[in-house]
Amino acid sequence: MRRRNTRGWSTATRYSIASAVVITALALTLIALLVPVDKFGSRATAATAAAPAPADDDGLGTVSTAFGPLTAADRDFVRKVRLAGLWELPAGRQAQQRGTRPAIRTAGDHLVDGHTELDRQVIQVGQALGIDLPNQPSAQQQDWLGQMNRAKGEEYERLFTQLLRRAHGKVFSLLAGIRAQTRNSMVRALATSANATVLDHITVLEDTGLVDFDGLSDNVPPTK
């Protein structure tokens, strides 16, 4: 009689232990599933918040071309390369004529040479891909040219250097994204060429010794 009670108690104990193990395993599995999801959600939210502002959308979506898919971001990039030349070419010519420092005139030479070639390329890309390109600088770019027209002497040279260096810094960051993501071979080739040109211009502008690096932020107006 005592032996049967002991066996019954042992069996019940074994069932209790097994049930506890199952429940514990289920709880640990649930925790393991929930924690990564929560952490992943936090990372995704942070990544989204840190993502750059989207490109201007012309509403045409992604279209097929002989050179690969052409997205709204691709077209926006091509138009921005064209816009850059529309104000940086005249800015470069002005620096060639008005610069008193050799380094300013050298920067002007590089701007003119670089954007003359880049403008030729971007027009070819626009024609091949059917992208409507701007034919005059934006209102902001016209304002920059106006500021330089009104400035004189050293004020002009510092303003020229700062405005152009800030503009090239913005384009440089845009280039990296387009070069990495585009699936269109013509856009990729343009981004590669533009990258070399922009880096050259950043270098010669910094070689003037007039760049105020603390003032390159969008929150800091250029010195007038």
Side-chain angles (χ1 to χ4, degrees), residues 143-156:
D143 178 65
W144 291 338
L145 289 170
Q147 290 180 40
M148 288 189 289
N149 287 335
R150 294 188 295 271
K152 298 179 180 179
E154 183 172 342
E155 177 192 13
Y156 160 75

Side-chain angles (χ1 to χ4, degrees), residues 89-193:
L89 264 173
R93 295 190 185 104
Q94 188 181 75
Q96 288 175 323
Q97 298 170 2
R98 296 183 58 188
T100 58
R101 290 177 171 86
I104 294 293
R105 294 194 296 271
T106 296
D109 292 340
H110 281 244
L111 285 170
V112 171
D113 292 343
H115 281 290
T116 296
E117 175 58 22
L118 205 54
D119 205 47
R120 181 190 66 79
Q121 294 180 36
V122 78
I123 289 173
Q124 287 183 342
V125 171
Q127 291 174 344
L129 299 178
I131 302 174
D132 294 330
L133 299 177
N135 54 22
Q136 63 179 4
S138 68
Q140 184 181 53
Q141 291 167 339
Q142 291 179 35
D143 178 65
W144 291 338
L145 289 170
Q147 290 180 40
M148 288 189 289
N149 287 335
R150 294 188 295 271
K152 298 179 180 179
E154 183 172 342
E155 177 192 13
Y156 160 75
E157 294 186 336
R158 291 187 178 278
L159 184 61
F160 161 81
T161 303
Q162 197 71 4
L163 287 173
L164 269 297
R165 175 59 181 80
R166 287 182 69 199
H168 280 80
K170 290 183 179 181
V171 173
F172 199 57
S173 61
L174 170 66
L175 283 168
I178 292 295
R179 180 62 182 80
Q181 297 176 14
T182 185
R183 293 182 290 160
N184 188 283
S185 61
M186 288 203 78
V187 173
R188 189 179 305 113
L190 178 64
T192 299
S193 180

